[in-house]
Amino acid sequence: MKTGEISAAVIRRLPRYYRYLGELLNRGVVRISSKELSDRMGVTASQIRQDLNNFGGFGQQGYGYNVEYLYSEIGKILGLDQKNMMIIVGAGRLGQAIANYSDFEKRGFLIRALFDIDPEVVGTSVHGIPVFHMSEMEKFVKDNQIYIAAIAIPKEAAPTVANELVKMGVKAIWNFAPTDLALPREVAQENVHLTESLMRLSYKLKAKEEE
Amino acid sequence: MKTGEISAAVIRRLPRYYRYLGELLNRGVVRISSKELSDRMGVTASQIRQDLNNFGGFGQQGYGYNVEYLYSEIGKILGLDQKNMMIIVGAGRLGQAIANYSDFEKRGFLIRALFDIDPEVVGTSVHGIPVFHMSEMEKFVKDNQIYIAAIAIPKEAAPTVANELVKMGVKAIWNFAPTDLALPREVAQENVHLTESLMRLSYKLKAKEEE
């Protein structure tokens, strides 16, 4: 299956399907129609069918989806059927907040280390995860086959560190710095731009007030 | 101008235009064509023109955009031409990381207080912002005309707290808990679902590997 051509909007919705299906599974639901799933998620049933058709369907007309099968298939599409080793660069409040987030481990994302230059945090640990000095990062990334790195450092330092990480072998950058990184085409990038998210909220607030 | 009918995809891009225009302004750029802006941002020029036409245009064919004017107009659309008072519910690592993020203040979002129930943090301050006990929240929200609240507490408690905030007069919820909140139609909601963002990165990583 070629996954490279799927639209950004579909990719945006997939993890949400996965989360809802996981909740259904936890409650023992075996089968669900696209109609029921759509009521629950606030997406149209045809949107759901269309999205899932990108990956070959998974359902039979009039018969609904097998929850466990669909959950596991979407998990595979998202690369959650394997353990993903990752590190966090930056052990300030944000880096620590990410390290502390126990949901990631449940999804197979294992945070192996944090890196910083601040002597106050180097040598400590967060949520049981060690904080090392940045100078140890290259060896760690290579020795531990780290493919994913979260960047939680000031935006001025982010581009340089991101490029260094790529040279060390990192293939996916989860960027929390408020800047867009120019990375080689073969490197995956996902941004969490908090200020932009807050601006969207402000926009929605204003739009609701004008309704 | 009716802003309620603008698509989610446009709303998603607006803050990014705002960020790029702010950077151009800082560098003293007075005028920019949609072509130049598009090269810089990695969006097509026609996409930019189409997006901005939703709000009445701002540019003259063949003449480009006045950077300062466009920046200020998009700022108004995003509700950044006024001060937005906000609070953070939850003063754990994530709440503290949000409070510590100085970019928000630059955009007119003033975090006035954090709230928690943990005696270890109640009475302390983060980045100069006081942490109060949850029992003081209602009075604070009403006395200080707080319209925006960030929710950085476990998902089990998030729906109840969100509904309480709405009853207190909060009109916009910035939700960091990994769940979708069922809020009244007139309340704005924006979610930061970190696990979903990480899953999208994992998907992209897999897609690049399969290319």
Side-chain angles (χ1 to χ4, degrees), chain A residues 3 16 19-20 76 78 96 174 180 185 189-190 196-197 200 202-204 206 208 210, chain B residues 3 16 19-20 76 78 174 180 185 189-190 196-197 200 202-204 206 208 210:
Chain A
T3 51
R16 197 155 163 260
R19 175 159 55 86
Y20 272 82
K76 281 183 208 164
L78 292 169
Q96 291 192 24
W174 198 22
D180 296 328
R185 223 203 139 277
Q189 178 175 183
E190 170 78 13
E196 294 188 17
S197 172
R200 283 193 290 275
S202 163
Y203 172 86
K204 289 177 188 171
K206 216 183 151 196
K208 299 253 180 210
E210 283 170 9
Chain B
T3 51
R16 196 155 165 261
R19 174 157 58 86
Y20 272 81
K76 282 183 208 163
L78 292 170
W174 198 21
D180 295 329
R185 222 203 140 278
Q189 179 175 182
E190 171 78 13
E196 294 187 18
S197 172
R200 283 194 290 275
S202 163
Y203 172 85
K204 289 176 188 171
K206 217 183 150 198
K208 299 254 179 212
E210 284 170 10

Side-chain angles (χ1 to χ4, degrees), chain B residues 77-97:
Chain B
I77 292 166
L78 292 170
L80 308 178
D81 53 338
Q82 54 187 37
K83 298 282 177 217
N84 286 289
M85 303 296 171
M86 57 186 284
I87 58 167
I88 300 170
V89 187
R93 283 194 171 98
L94 183 58
Q96 292 192 23

Side-chain angles (χ1 to χ4, degrees), chain A residues 29-75:
Chain A
V29 177
V30 173
R31 190 162 282 282
I32 193 162
S33 67
S34 52
K35 172 77 173 62
E36 286 169 285
L37 192 57
S38 96
D39 288 346
R40 217 172 265 275
M41 293 188 58
V43 185
T44 65
S46 84
Q47 180 77 80
I48 292 179
R49 284 192 297 267
Q50 210 177 309
D51 285 351
L52 297 181
N53 276 340
N54 279 299
F55 305 96
F58 310 119
Q60 265 177 280
Q61 197 72 35
Y63 191 63
Y65 298 105
N66 176 308
V67 173
E68 188 170 1
Y69 176 70
L70 188 56
Y71 178 78
S72 128
E73 289 301 304
I74 294 182

